Amino acid sequence: MTASYRTVYAFAREMHPKTVKHDIHYGTAGFRTKASNLGYIMYRMGLLAVLRSRYKQGVIGIMITASHNPECDNGVKLIDPHGEMMEQSWEELATKLANVQDDELEATIKEIVQKYSIDMTVRVNILIGKDTRPSSPSLAKSVVDGVLALSGKPIDFGIVTTPQMHYFVKCRNTHNEYGIGTEEGYYTKLVSAFKRLRGDKFNNKNYVNKILYDGANGVGARKIKYFKERLGDCLEIELHNDAGIGTGKLNHLCGADYVKSQQLFPTGVPNIPNQRCVSVDGDADRIVYYYNDENNKFHLLDGDRIATLIAEYLKELVLACGIDLNLGLIQTAYANGASTDYITKTLKVPVACVSTGVKHLHHKALEYDIGVYFEANGHGTVIFSKNAKDKLNEAAKDNKLSEEQQQSAEKLLALIDVINETVGDAISDMLLVETILNAKGWNIQQWEQTYTDLPNKLLKVTVQDRNLLTTKDAERMCVTPEGLQEEIGLIVEKYNKGRSFVRPSGTEDIVRIYAEAATHEESEKLAAEVAQKVYELAGGIGAPPIIP
Ligand code: 16G
Ligand code: MG
């Protein structure tokens, strides 16, 4: 025991010394910064994963990725046994372990072991995955050293998408009840459910069985090839932005985050009028749909659109089954006001608003029999409770029910298998959307016509210290700096259908501003006015924002 603790320090000192003086925090989605600063953090997260795994008596996952960030960044997050993000109470431990001096590592570990009464003799497996960033292989090596230093067993899954990692972890911990915990098992589960749902009926009415896919030059481009092989004619996927390791510009002028935040068509995808396109992000856990019309006008169908499409379809199927299941939709303050209106007033599905970050949405969604959650940026999934699954399984076999009822239950069961319930999964979400569009016989315009988005604008302001800005009410209200919320209120009042909020980013040293209003010009002006106030009252640095 003592020996392994000594290894911890020796490994740190000799191979993974702390190289950054300032503290770094476990943020919204783990640690994320310049890849060159992450070696020792990776090593320490390897250590933490072993502690967490022994404490939870389950397999823990580690994903190395910086998602939609530039290629020179990287990051790391831990995945808990059910395949969800690591419990929040351990984020503090992660931050502490990341920031202590090398010679304090042993003592910090001992403290954690004591506090949580961790049995350090338990054998544990840690699953490790990484995205396509050139820095990922060496960072993975540092993670492995951390796992070995505390006598855990690292299992390397190589290059995988973030949602694949979440899936693998859940499979291992459910002894493959959730699915087979290999890449092959993942493809087989999703593709066979998709084929079951599609049957031999496609090109249903206006549905066109072809999609252009922007892989963001990342892991999403690699993995879609395995889907293409298996899907065959069932869904024609034309792949673009598929650069190999280190050769393409990951997320540069392409990918889901670029398309959503810039509201622009990506480079590298052919511009064909009215052609349905999708972009995924650098670790393939986000997806957005879009097209250019015949006048070359860009139309975006983001996470809110996907959420409403899914919620509507699920509601129809649940009604057709005649089973009493409660369905809820979870959004964040970024959700377009028009989508929230449509969901509550037209679909009559209850909506909850929570803080930004997948863990908050996921957590809330667990309160429903069927919880649909999506961030506007395209990250989201659906979770089905055990109660829902049990009832559907019964209904599918219940001969007292009508044929239509039984078939609807069967459809819902197949949908569950297309969905990656552990976390938002771009490719799984795409298969789900394609299933629904095909079932409805809709083209992308028909989907878009369900409601009209309010024009909106995202801005950011660099500030001295983003922690000075605090919020409440699911980030919709600003608490400090004093007076800022009142000022925002006064500005918003001037705009027709105006809404705006500000929040400190959890991943960058900036404050984000969101604004929506009746017209494009108004939304831009509103965002800029609010940005100016943030700059003034929250310690903006650099050039002040300009009103258009
Ligand atoms: C991370 C979050 C995402 C959130 C985004 C906000 C996860 C897996 N990802 O990418 O959900 O929308 O951060 O970024 O939780 P921000 O705090 O910089 O605005
Ligand atoms: Mg991502």
Side-chain angles (χ1 to χ4, degrees):
M1 183 64 54
T2 332
S4 61
Y5 279 40
R6 231 177 272 134
T7 319
V8 166
Y9 179 35
F11 273 29
R13 195 182 52 215
E14 305 306 331
M15 295 183 291
H16 310 288
K18 184 167 189 279
T19 50
V20 176
K21 286 212 178 71
H22 65 261
D23 277 8
I24 160 162
H25 293 267
Y26 196 96
T28 319
F31 293 102
R32 204 176 283 182
T33 184
K34 294 274 158 284
S36 51
N37 289 341
L38 275 167
Y40 71 99
I41 303 270
M42 294 288 168
Y43 170 67
R44 291 165 184 219
M45 288 308 101
L47 300 172
L48 188 72
V50 174
L51 297 176
R52 179 92 185 136
S53 183
R54 290 195 173 125
Y55 175 62
K56 294 296 284 183
Q57 312 249 332
V59 173
I60 295 288
I62 297 187
M63 182 67 197
I64 299 165
T65 180
S67 184
H68 54 280
N69 286 34
E71 194 167 271
C72 57
D73 285 1
N74 217 323
V76 58
K77 58 186 163 196
L78 266 63
I79 302 168
D80 261 357
H82 292 297
E84 75 282 39
M85 314 275 281
M86 182 175 72
E87 195 181 301
Q88 254 171 297
S89 63
W90 272 59
E91 291 180 4
E92 279 164 42
L93 294 183
T95 298
K96 177 156 191 207
L97 197 63
N99 293 311
V100 295
Q101 297 307 317
D102 291 330
D103 59 5
E104 292 165 350
L105 265 181
E106 282 179 33
T108 310
I109 288 172
K110 275 185 196 158
E111 234 175 73
I112 299 173
V113 168
Q114 261 172 13
K115 180 169 176 199
Y116 290 90
S117 308
I118 297 171
D119 177 357
M120 290 299 279
T121 62
V122 179
R123 288 166 178 273
V124 290
N125 295 326
I126 307 297
L127 313 189
I128 304 166
K130 53 180 169 295
D131 68 14
T132 56
R133 287 177 160 77
S135 58
S136 291
S138 82
L139 294 175
K141 171 77 178 56
S142 308
V143 170
V144 167
D145 283 348
V147 173
L148 292 174
L150 285 180
S151 310
K153 183 176 165 199
I155 302 178
D156 189 355
F157 275 73
I159 294 174
V160 288
T161 69
T162 295
Q164 282 183 320
M165 258 336 266
H166 286 258
Y167 166 89
F168 297 145
V169 171
K170 178 150 185 166
C171 291
R172 291 266 168 156
N173 285 299
T174 57
H175 306 289
N176 289 338
E177 197 194 306
Y178 184 66
I180 309 295
T182 60
E183 274 203 53
E184 192 55 51
Y186 169 84
Y187 301 127
T188 305
K189 179 174 173 180
L190 269 58
V191 170
S192 50
F194 179 77
K195 286 186 168 169
R196 225 178 327 142
L197 282 158
R198 185 151 288 215
D200 49 12
K201 283 187 293 171
F202 53 76
N203 288 342
N204 191 343
K205 295 186 210 151
N206 295 325
Y207 178 76
V208 177
N209 190 37
K210 177 177 178 181
I211 190 151
L212 305 192
Y213 177 101
D214 159 22
N217 292 316
V219 62
R222 291 182 156 223
K223 300 303 173 183
I224 199 67
K225 292 176 191 159
Y226 298 97
F227 281 94
K228 271 169 69 82
E229 267 170 30
R230 288 162 180 78
L231 286 164
D233 295 341
C234 230
L235 178 63
E236 193 186 332
I237 304 169
E238 199 179 286
L239 170 59
H240 300 278
N241 292 328
D242 165 31
I245 296 183
T247 56
K249 279 266 185 234
L250 178 70
N251 298 322
H252 184 61
L253 304 179
C254 63
D257 191 62
Y258 172 81
V259 172
K260 166 69 186 165
S261 57
Q262 305 298 315
Q263 309 195 16
L264 287 174
F265 201 87
T267 52
V269 178
N271 184 356
I272 302 165
N274 299 322
Q275 168 64 51
R276 199 163 74 251
C277 306
V278 296
S279 285
V280 306
D281 74 336
D283 62 339
D285 64 354
R286 290 189 193 177
I287 185 163
V288 293
Y289 274 75
Y290 51 90
Y291 70 97
N292 271 340
D293 64 21
E294 49 284 338
N295 300 317
N296 212 23
K297 182 170 179 282
F298 176 72
H299 298 250
L300 175 68
L301 290 91
D302 62 5
D304 300 338
R305 293 275 179 189
I306 298 174
T308 49
L309 181 78
I310 295 173
E312 180 169 355
Y313 188 61
L314 289 177
K315 186 167 179 187
E316 280 167 20
L317 283 181
V318 169
L319 279 175
C321 270
I323 308 180
D324 182 23
L325 294 174
N326 71 43
L327 170 72
L329 198 142
I330 328 297
Q331 299 186 313
T332 71
Y334 287 110
N336 196 284
S339 77
T340 315
D341 261 10
Y342 176 72
I343 298 157
T344 45
K345 295 183 185 147
T346 309
L347 300 185
K348 304 211 180 331
V349 170
V351 175
C353 180
V354 299
S355 297
T356 303
V358 172
K359 57 194 169 211
H360 303 297
L361 290 113
H362 192 92
H363 189 73
K364 186 73 186 171
L366 291 169
E367 290 178 15
Y368 300 86
D369 282 322
I370 305 178
V372 182
Y373 71 81
F374 263 88
E375 290 190 310
N377 62 27
H379 186 117
T381 188
V382 188
I383 325 181
F384 295 79
S385 68
K386 182 166 182 308
N387 176 45
K389 288 177 184 168
D390 289 349
K391 280 190 177 165
L392 288 169
N393 272 309
E394 269 170 38
K397 286 185 236 119
D398 187 348
N399 289 330
K400 292 196 286 306
L401 297 181
S402 71
E403 204 172 313
E404 197 211 341
Q405 284 177 310
Q406 277 181 297
Q407 276 174 0
S408 303
E410 265 165 27
K411 261 191 209 161
L412 277 163
L413 288 169
L415 280 176
I416 296 175
D417 280 346
V418 166
I419 293 166
N420 184 345
E421 288 181 88
T422 60
V423 80
D425 181 329
I427 300 176
S428 146
D429 288 338
M430 181 184 88
L431 295 180
L432 179 59
V433 169
E434 293 301 315
T435 298
I436 300 172
L437 292 179
N438 176 51
K440 289 186 173 284
W442 277 1
N443 57 26
I444 194 161
Q445 289 83 2
Q446 285 169 296
W447 172 18
E448 194 187 17
Q449 277 153 18
T450 45
Y451 64 89
T452 309
D453 264 328
L454 280 170
N456 56 87
K457 181 76 185 168
L458 282 168
L459 285 179
K460 51 186 172 184
V461 169
T462 311
V463 290
Q464 198 91 45
D465 179 4
R466 66 176 148 145
N467 298 315
L468 295 182
L469 201 145
T470 57
T471 62
K472 64 174 182 183
D473 192 17
E475 304 178 321
R476 287 172 291 192
M477 300 289 278
C478 170
V479 179
T480 59
E482 215 176 299
L484 180 56
Q485 184 58 48
E486 287 71 28
E487 294 287 352
I488 295 175
L490 291 174
I491 299 171
V492 166
E493 262 178 26
K494 300 190 293 186
Y495 291 87
N496 188 13
K497 297 200 170 158
R499 182 171 75 91
S500 179
F501 69 91
V502 301
R503 55 174 281 277
S505 158
T507 62
E508 290 176 62
D509 254 327
I510 51 164
V511 170
R512 292 198 198 279
I513 290 104
Y514 175 87
E516 64 186 31
T519 65
H520 179 67
E521 291 70 29
E522 283 178 294
S523 71
E524 298 226 324
K525 204 151 172 256
L526 172 55
E529 277 201 62
V530 172
Q532 274 193 341
K533 276 295 162 211
V534 169
Y535 187 89
E536 248 172 61
L537 298 177
I541 50 177
I546 301 163
I547 310 277

